[in-house]
Amino acid sequence: MSNNAYVVLLAGLALVAACPALAEVDGAALYQQHCAKCHGDDGRADNLRGKMFFAQDLADADWQARTSDEQILAAIRNGARMMSGYAGKLSAEQQQALVQVVRELRQP
Ligand code: HEC
């Protein structure tokens, strides 16, 4: 390995070590663990619990268009109707990662 490559590798390792919280956050896995049971794998909430609780269809393009990142974050933090909040259960980084996952559920 060239010296340069070695330096880059070390710098990369130092960076990952410096932000363990960031390195650990896997938004998709968090969504599967906490949200998919009501909102479904694809966000459509097309499952028993989703229907029972009238969960929001997160893939809906109209809803996505009229909803800000701040509103999504607020729903995750504080809950919405039959959905309880995750303020005490998920870190700020995890909540932020979930906002991103929710955005990626959008369908045309
Ligand atoms: C117990 C079932 C349940 C779980 C679990 C759940 N939700 Fe919800 N979610 C709901 C319901 C019910 C609503 C409210 C729908 C409404 O506004 O009528 C909702 C609404 C939302 C909204 C829309 C809020 C708005 O302002 O329109 C978002 C975003 C959301 N949920 C994301 C999530 C995420 C992310 C998770 C996982 C961390 C999650 N939900 C977990 C049932 C659930």
Side-chain angles (χ1 to χ4, degrees), residues 28-89:
L30 286 171
Y31 181 85
Q32 281 303 322
Q33 189 184 343
H34 296 287
C35 323
K37 57 185 171 232
C38 289
H39 291 284
D41 290 347
D42 59 0
R44 288 285 187 201
D46 195 12
N47 57 31
L48 183 63
R49 272 198 238 201
K51 288 188 183 7
M52 236 165 63
F53 294 120
F54 302 101
Q56 175 65 45
D57 174 356
L58 302 175
D60 182 69
D62 289 339
W63 175 82
Q64 285 271 356
R66 66 171 187 266
T67 306
S68 68
D69 285 1
E70 287 71 28
Q71 285 171 303
I72 295 175
L73 186 61
I76 294 170
R77 289 190 56 78
N78 310 323
R81 299 177 202 250
M82 298 294 285
M83 167 186 167
S84 44
Y86 291 82
K89 298 180 199 132

